Amino acid sequence: MTPAADPQGLTRVPVALAERSYDILIGSGLVRGAGATLAERFPGRAVAIVTDAHVGEIHGPALEASLSGAGIRHHRITVAPGEATKRFAVLEEVVDQILAHRLERGDIVLALGGGVVGDLAGFAAAIVRRGMGFVQMPTSLLAQVDSSVGGKTGINSRHGKNLIGAFYQPGLVLADTDVLDTLSTREFRAGYAEVAKYGLIDDPGFFAWLETNWRGVFQGGRDRVHAIATSCRAKAAVVARDETETGDRALLNLGHTFGHALEAATAYDGARLVHGEGVAIGMCQAFRFSAKLGLCAPMDAVRMANHLKAVGLPTELSEIPGGVGDVDRLMAAIGQDKKVARGKLTFILARGIGESFIARDVDPAAVREFLAEELARD
Amino acid sequence: MTPAADPQGLTRVPVALAERSYDILIGSGLVRGAGATLAERFPGRAVAIVTDAHVGEIHGPALEASLSGAGIRHHRITVAPGEATKRFAVLEEVVDQILAHRLERGDIVLALGGGVVGDLAGFAAAIVRRGMGFVQMPTSLLAQVDSSVGGKTGINSRHGKNLIGAFYQPGLVLADTDVLDTLSTREFRAGYAEVAKYGLIDDPGFFAWLETNWRGVFQGGRDRVHAIATSCRAKAAVVARDETETGDRALLNLGHTFGHALEAATAYDGARLVHGEGVAIGMCQAFRFSAKLGLCAPMDAVRMANHLKAVGLPTELSEIPGGVGDVDRLMAAIGQDKKVARGKLTFILARGIGESFIARDVDPAAVREFLAEELARD
Ligand SMILES: NC(=O)c1ccc[n+]([C@@H]2O[C@H](COP(=O)([O-])OP(=O)(O)OC[C@H]3O[C@@H](n4cnc5c(N)ncnc54)[C@H](O)[C@@H]3O)[C@@H](O)[C@H]2O)c1
Ligand SMILES: NC(=O)c1ccc[n+]([C@@H]2O[C@H](COP(=O)([O-])OP(=O)(O)OC[C@H]3O[C@@H](n4cnc5c(N)ncnc54)[C@H](O)[C@@H]3O)[C@@H](O)[C@H]2O)c1
C-alpha cells in the first residue's frame, strides 16, 4: 500500500471511473509546475481560473506565472470567500465570465481554492456548453482530502445545502501540499476531521497511525502527503464503487447527519462552527449513539473523541458558542437533511473504530432520547 | 421498418443508451393515460409538472386528472411561454419550487410543453439533487420529433442560445399526437421543417413519402404518427451513436448554422421568425450552397425547397419580415454559432437529398460570396 511516486517525487492516486478516470497528484510544488503539467496533459487548452479573493491573492500570481510560462491563455474569475458564494447568482456570474472569455468546450475551468470554489467551479464546468474541461487545484485540507475527489459539484438552496448540482468528474486534481501552509489552523483542523473520518470508517490502522503521527500532518512534509494520499485513496475507492451515491458512498457521511444538523442549527455561521468542526462533533455523536445502542464498545467512542480533542477539534455540543437550541430544533434539522430517505432516518453508525456501516432504519425516538442526553452533557 | 406497436396501439421507439436507455411512446390518448403509465413504470413517485401558461391551461387539467386518478401526488409549476423563459432566473425559480414541494431524488420532473419547457425542465431535473427522475411530454411537433429526444437540456446565455445545460436523458417520453391539434399552424409547420430534415439527412425514401403524404401529417391520424415515429427513430439512432455530440450527431444540425444566424439576425423575435422557419430557410441554403460548390445537383436544391414551400414554410431570406441585414452581419452571427470549432467553419452540406455530410473546413470567403448571392435573390 505504498503510494505510487512519479519522477518529481509526487504521489499519484488514480481514480478509476472507466472513461472518466483521472489522476490526483499530491505533493510539493504543484502550483509552480501547473503550467508544464497542463501543457503536457491538455495541450492547446485555454484556462479559466476560478478562485476566491483570499486564495487568489495569495496563490493566484504563482499559478498565473506558471501558466503564462507554458504559453497557456488564462483568465482569472474571482468570487467572494465563504459558503454564501455557493448560490445561483454567483454561479450565473461565473458562467457568464467563462463564456465572455470565449472559452470553448475543450478548454479548462480550473478551481483554485477550497471546497466552496471547487463545488461552484465544478458545477460551472459541468453546465457551460454542457460540459467543459475541469481541473481541481484544492487549496484547503478539506478540499484536498474530500471535496475535490469524487465529482460532486454544486450550490446551496434555501431548502438545504448542496441540493443543486451535478456529478462531474475533473480531468485532473493537483493537490499542492505546500499551499496548506497559508491556511488558518482552524481550517486545517476542520479538514483534519475528514482525514480522521477515513480511519474511522474502515481503516483502523490509519486511525492508529494518525494518533501517533498527527503532528507531522499539521507540520507538513512526508506525513502530510501520506495522510492526504491515504484519504484520497480511501475516497476514490468508495467513489469507484458507487459514483452517484446509490449505495456504499453513504459511508462517507459518517458524522455528517449530526454535523449538518449542527451547521443548520448555527445558521451556517462559520464564526461559530465550520463544516469540519460539525463533522468532528457529529462523528463523536455517531460513536456515542452507537455505544448507547449497544453496537460499539463505549471505549471506542472515548478513544476517537480523545484523538480529535488532542488535535484541537470540538467533540461536544457544549463547545459550540451560542448553543444549538433544543431537541426539537435538532430533530427538525436532521429531518431536513437530504440523506433522509422516504421518512426513515439513515445514519452511519459504527461497531468500532474502522467498522462503520449504513443503518437505514434508525428509530427517530431513539435519536431524540440520545440528543436529549447529549444536550445534558456539560 | 414498421414501428413496434404495443397493445394500446401506441408506437414505441426505444432509445438505446446502455443504462440510460428509455422508450418514446407515440400515439393518441397518452395524456389521458399518463397516470396509469407512470404508476406502472415509476411506482410511488411524486410528480412536478413543469409547463408554460399556454399549454398548462389547455392540457394541464387532463394530465392532472389522470395523475390524481392513479393516486400520484403532483404539483404544477408554470412558466411564461416563449424563448425568454430559458434563462437563469426562471431556472432558479423552477428548481426552488421543485424543492419547496419536497420532491426527492427518485421523484419525477415532468415537462409538459414545447421545446422551451422541455429544455428548461430537463435541465432542472438534471441539477436538483444532482439528478431526479425526468419524463418528457412534448406538446409541440418540434418537441416531439426533436427536442424531447436525445437528452440535450439547457438555457440560453447572453452569449448565445443553449450555451448552458446538461446532457440528461429522460426515463420516458410520451408524445401524445392528439395534443398537436391545439398547436397553431405556424408552430406545426415550424416543427415540420425538422421532420423533413430527417429525410434530407439520410433517408431519401422518407423525404419522398413526405412529398406525397404531408397533408396527412398535418391532419393527424396514422400518417402523423408515422412521420413522428420515423423522425424519433432517426434521431435516436444518431444519438445512440454519439450521445454527447463529439462526432456524427452534428448531422442533426443540417440547416441550423444558417438558421441560427437568421434567428440571431432577427433578434430571436418569434413574430418575425420562429426556429423551425429559420431551419427551413437554412436547409434550403445548405442545399443551394452545396449546389454552388458543385457538391450537389441544383435540381435537388430546387426539389427540397419546393416541398417546404408547398407546406407553407419560408425558403428564402426575402420572406423574413424586416430583413436580416447585410453579409457582414450574417457572417458575424455565423462566427458566434457554437458549432464553429477553433476558427474553422463547420457546415452540414449535402451531395443530394438524403446524402448530407459534415464539412469541417469550409472557406469563410466562399460563405461570404454565397450569402451575397442569397441576399440578392428576390
Ligand atoms: N463536493 C464534495 O464532495 C464536498 C465534500 C465536502 C465538502 N464540500 C463542500 O466544501 C465546502 C467547504 O470547503 P472548505 O472547508 O475548503 O471551505 P472554503 O472553500 O470556504 O475554504 C475555507 C476558507 O479557507 C480559505 N482558504 C482556502 N485555501 C486556503 C489557503 N491555501 N490559504 C489560505 N486560505 C485558504 C478560503 O478562502 C476560505 O476562507 C462546503 O461548501 C462543503 O459543502 C464538498
Ligand atoms: N434539446 C434539444 O435537443 C432541442 C432541439 C431543438 C430545439 N430545441 C429548443 O426547443 C425550443 C423550441 O421549441 P418549440 O418550438 O416547441 O417552442 P415552444 O416551447 O416555445 O413552443 C412554441 C409555442 O407553442 C405553444 N404550444 C406548445 N405546445 C402546444 C400545444 N399542444 N397547443 C397549443 N400551444 C402549444 C407554446 O406555448 C409556445 O407558445 C427552442 O428553445 C430550442 O432551442 C431543443
Side-chain angles (χ1 to χ4, degrees), chain A residues 51-56 58-59 80-84 86 112-120 136-154 156 161-162 166 176 178-184 187-188 190-191 194 197-198 235 249 252 256 260 263 274-276 279, chain B residues 130:
Chain A
T51 190
D52 73 26
H54 192 188
V55 177
I58 309 176
H59 300 290
E83 188 68 28
K86 282 174 57 177
L112 176 75
V116 164
V117 163
D119 282 10
L120 178 76
Q136 291 261 27
M137 291 201 71
T139 65
S140 70
L141 180 56
L142 180 130
Q144 293 195 353
V145 300
D146 187 358
S147 61
S148 71
V149 183
K152 278 197 191 179
T153 71
N156 303 321
K161 273 191 66 173
N162 300 321
D176 188 326
D178 297 341
V179 303
L180 301 182
D181 290 337
T182 61
L183 197 64
S184 71
E187 291 290 353
F188 194 95
E194 304 282 357
K197 183 184 77 175
Y198 296 109
K235 179 151 184 188
R249 187 161 174 164
L252 297 173
H256 282 63
H260 284 165
E263 285 184 89
V274 301
H275 176 72
V279 170
Chain B
R130 299 198 184 88

Side-chain angles (χ1 to χ4, degrees), chain A residues 45 88 92 96 99 104-105 127 129-130 152-153 157-159 163-165 167 244-245 342, chain B residues 45 88 92 96 99 104-105 107 127 129-130 152-153 158-159 163-165 167 244-245 342:
Chain A
R45 304 310 184 176
F88 253 110
E92 180 172 10
D96 188 71
L99 289 168
E104 296 179 8
R105 200 170 164 192
I127 65 175
R129 298 177 188 278
R130 299 199 185 85
K152 278 197 191 179
T153 71
S157 151
R158 68 187 172 97
H159 301 286
L163 287 179
I164 306 162
F167 287 98
T244 55
E245 190 160 8
R342 304 189 161 266
Chain B
R45 304 310 184 176
F88 253 109
E92 180 173 9
D96 188 71
L99 288 167
E104 296 180 9
R105 200 168 164 193
D107 291 330
I127 66 175
R129 299 177 188 276
R130 299 198 184 88
K152 278 196 191 179
T153 71
R158 68 185 172 101
H159 301 287
L163 287 180
I164 306 161
F167 286 98
T244 56
E245 189 159 10
R342 304 188 162 267

Side-chain angles (χ1 to χ4, degrees), chain A residues 257-258 261 285 289 292-293 327-328 330-332 334-335 344-347 349 359 361-375:
Chain A
T257 300
F258 287 123
Q285 293 190 304
F289 188 35
K292 178 178 159 69
L293 296 175
V327 174
D328 286 336
L330 289 177
M331 283 303 288
I334 284 172
K344 289 164 198 159
L345 292 181
T346 296
F347 277 86
L349 298 179
D361 268 296
V362 177
D363 177 7
V367 181
R368 288 193 75 87
E369 194 185 299
F370 169 70
L371 286 173
E373 287 174 24
E374 285 282 301
L375 287 163

Side-chain angles (χ1 to χ4, degrees), chain A residues 57-89:
Chain A
E57 194 185 326
I58 309 176
H59 300 290
L63 175 61
E64 286 165 338
S66 174
L67 297 182
S68 295
I72 297 172
R73 171 163 77 92
H74 56 84
H75 306 274
R76 198 198 293 195
I77 299 171
T78 304
V79 298
E83 188 68 28
T85 283
K86 282 174 57 177
R87 67 172 193 273
F88 253 110

Side-chain angles (χ1 to χ4, degrees), chain A residues 273-311:
Chain A
L273 189 79
V274 301
H275 176 72
E277 292 167 348
V279 170
I281 299 174
M283 292 193 298
C284 293
Q285 293 190 304
F287 271 77
R288 287 196 289 264
F289 188 35
S290 300
K292 178 178 159 69
L293 296 175
L295 294 164
C296 141
M299 269 216 355
D300 281 337
V302 172
R303 177 181 156 199
M304 57 79 64
N306 279 345
H307 175 54
L308 297 180
K309 223 175 280 179
V311 311

